[in-house]
Amino acid sequence: MQFEQSEPRTAHWLERRSYTIHQSLDHLLAMAHRYRHEGQLRQAMEMYWMLLEDHSSTAQALEAQKSLLELADAYEREDERHTARAVYERLCDLDGVPSTRVVTARRAIPASST
């Protein structure tokens, strides 16, 4: 009988845990966006990478990937091709990350420009 009572508790605990993780990832993504907005790009990129690499199956990871591509595009426009290329290559190295746009952008940067 005690086993029957623990099942709903376990389900409830798992539901709460999932909610807590989701909320924490939302806050981490918001912090990364705030760093980016404040011009602290290194901190923003570190957080985006953490979200993308450590939590790859989440919506926050997809948003982080989008932000990293936007930052790489900005670096490329600012003639910081070596930084843009590093971001594109790291994105290509991730397993399970859609990389069509990354590969296309990477081809546009000549290897000799690093």
Side-chain angles (χ1 to χ4, degrees), residues 34-77:
R34 220 173 6 255
Y35 278 132
R36 182 178 175 190
H37 178 73
E38 294 169 354
Q40 298 178 27
L41 300 183
R42 177 163 289 163
Q43 290 87 346
M45 287 182 73
E46 286 176 11
M47 293 188 79
Y48 290 139
W49 285 119
M50 181 273 303
L51 288 164
L52 184 55
E53 293 172 341
D54 296 346
H55 305 281
S56 60
S57 63
T58 65
Q60 295 86 353
L62 292 175
E63 181 68 26
Q65 177 188 2
K66 178 180 173 245
S67 296
L68 286 165
L69 281 169
E70 290 170 356
L71 284 169
D73 290 343
Y75 280 123
E76 193 173 356
R77 281 192 309 275

Side-chain angles (χ1 to χ4, degrees), residues 76 81-82 85-86 89 105-114:
E76 193 173 356
R81 292 183 184 144
H82 62 286
R85 181 178 177 173
E89 288 178 349
R106 184 177 172 195
R107 287 185 188 144
I109 302 173
S112 62
S113 67
T114 58

